[in-house]
Each structure stands twice: as C-alpha cells, then as structure tokens.
Amino acid sequence: MRDINEDHNILPNITLKLEIAPVALSQSVRSQCEKVVISNLTMQLAIDAIIGYDEANYTLILGNPSSSSAVQTATVSSVLDMAQLASLPTTPELTSFPNFFRLTPPAIDQVLSIRDTILYYIGIQSGWNAVAVLSTTDGFGVSMASSFIENATPEITIASYRQYIADPSLYDNLLKEMEEIKNSGARVIVSFAFDEWEITAGAVSYTHLR
C-alpha cells in the first residue's frame, strides 16, 4: 500500500488508508478509501454488512474465498452496483456478475488442465484412463467435480463419483466412500476439496490407495 501511495502514477489524487481490526463474526476489516474487506462472517452478517457499506458509500468489497458464499454476496453487491474482489472462488456462476473479480481462474480452466494432464499420462502409461472423482459437498467441490465429469473425453472413464463432508467427526463416512472408490477399479483419484486436505490424504492412506 505504501508503494502505491508513493507512486502517484498508479492512483493519482488518491491516498489509500487501511485500518485492520480483529475479525470476529460481527466485525470486518475496513479501509478509509471506499474499500471493505469482509472476512469469515456468517452469510447473513456478510449480506447485512454489504448493505450497510453501500449506505456508507463504500464501492469495493474484498473477500469471501468460498464459491458458495461468493455467489450470494456477488448477487447482493451487483444489485447495489458494488464491485467485489475475491481470491479463491471458482464456480462458473460468478462469470455472470460483471462487477465480480477473482484471482483464481474459473473452474473450467482448472478442470481442463487436470483433464489434459490425465490425457498426457494415458498416452504413456496404462491405467490412467480409469478415474474416480471425489469431492466435498460444498459449492467448490460439487461445481469442480461436475465440470470435470462433463468435460471428460471418451478416453477417460469415470469409474466412480463420491462426495463427502469435510468434517473430522464424519471421518468414517469418508472411509466408506474411499472403499467404494477402491472397489470401483479406478487407478486415478481426482479430488476436489476447498480445504481439509489432510482428511482426504489420511483416508487414502488408511484404505491403502495410491
């Protein structure tokens, strides 16, 4: 921020100021240059915050890393003609919001990269054509998995598609899904999870999948 303020060619006649406050469910991080960061708020609190920021003449929202929450806040901010910049949401739905910007490519770009990688290895090693898809049940996991399945070429066989909830207390359910994948004959697992990767890795190891 200091570099931007010191270079008047970047934002002439504008000085950015950012005040960071501790974030709790009822708090957010604000700046004094018509920018707002919404972080880890419940959905209703986030929407209420956006409405309040619009009334205070803020014009930009920063935040909401998950696809499911970003769609909802993008809907509200678009109605209010506010811009939103997020980091990780990938769902294709967000491309329909002209004021929504993200730092991560849409799901389709990531999916096509994964598909092309599998196709490459199919050409040089047997077994890569039998693929199991595993995803979390949130917006990120479901949208990515659905997009991958829809864009799989005839060379790729989807041997199994399983979903799970990324919650350590439901670990036994994930193990059941892994057993289904193991029995499907799939040689490759494509997993789409927003976080809690250690849970998936642990289940893979426990069921002796490689």
Side-chain angles (χ1 to χ4, degrees):
M1 183 183 298
R2 181 173 57 191
D3 292 341
I4 294 175
N5 286 335
E6 291 178 351
D7 188 341
H8 300 293
N9 294 318
I10 299 178
L11 291 175
N13 303 320
I14 293 177
T15 300
L16 294 178
K17 295 181 180 180
L18 181 65
E19 178 183 350
I20 299 178
V23 176
L25 289 180
S26 61
Q27 295 177 315
S28 63
V29 183
R30 302 187 184 186
S31 79
Q32 299 178 11
C33 190
E34 298 186 335
K35 293 176 174 60
V36 178
V37 175
I38 294 179
S39 176
N40 296 330
L41 296 171
T42 61
M43 197 72 271
Q44 188 58 53
L45 285 172
I47 292 174
D48 290 343
I50 291 173
I51 295 173
Y53 296 143
D54 174 65
E55 294 172 349
N57 296 320
Y58 289 103
T59 59
L60 174 64
I61 301 167
L62 307 179
N64 280 350
S66 71
S67 293
S68 55
S69 61
V71 169
Q72 297 183 58
T73 55
T75 301
V76 176
S77 59
S78 293
V79 171
L80 299 175
D81 197 27
M82 299 176 70
Q84 182 174 351
L85 174 63
S87 55
L88 300 177
T90 58
T91 179
E93 294 177 67
L94 292 169
T95 58
S96 62
F97 298 101
N99 292 337
F100 184 89
F101 307 92
R102 50 188 162 186
L103 304 179
T104 302
I108 185 61
D109 294 342
Q110 300 181 48
V111 161
L112 294 180
S113 295
I114 296 172
R115 183 198 67 183
D116 291 346
T117 299
I118 292 174
L119 290 174
Y120 170 79
Y121 282 102
I122 285 176
I124 62 176
Q125 187 174 355
S126 63
W128 278 77
N129 61 305
V131 175
V133 179
L134 177 69
S135 79
T136 50
T137 56
D138 54 25
F140 170 83
V142 172
S143 66
M144 292 284 284
S146 299
S147 182
F148 177 80
I149 293 171
E150 290 172 3
N151 288 277
T153 64
E155 295 90 344
I156 298 175
T157 300
I158 305 299
S160 179
Y161 173 34
R162 317 300 300 182
Q163 296 181 355
Y164 71 100
I165 300 175
D167 186 335
S169 66
L170 301 175
Y171 186 68
D172 288 344
N173 292 338
L174 175 56
L175 292 179
K176 293 178 182 178
E177 303 299 345
M178 286 296 185
E179 288 294 340
E180 292 292 335
I181 290 175
K182 185 176 182 179
N183 295 332
S184 73
R187 297 287 301 278
V188 177
I189 301 175
V190 177
S191 180
F192 298 107
F194 184 74
D195 54 15
E196 302 290 356
W197 276 98
E198 66 277 9
I199 296 177
T200 306
V204 168
S205 177
Y206 186 85
T207 51
H208 304 291
L209 289 167
R210 294 291 186 270

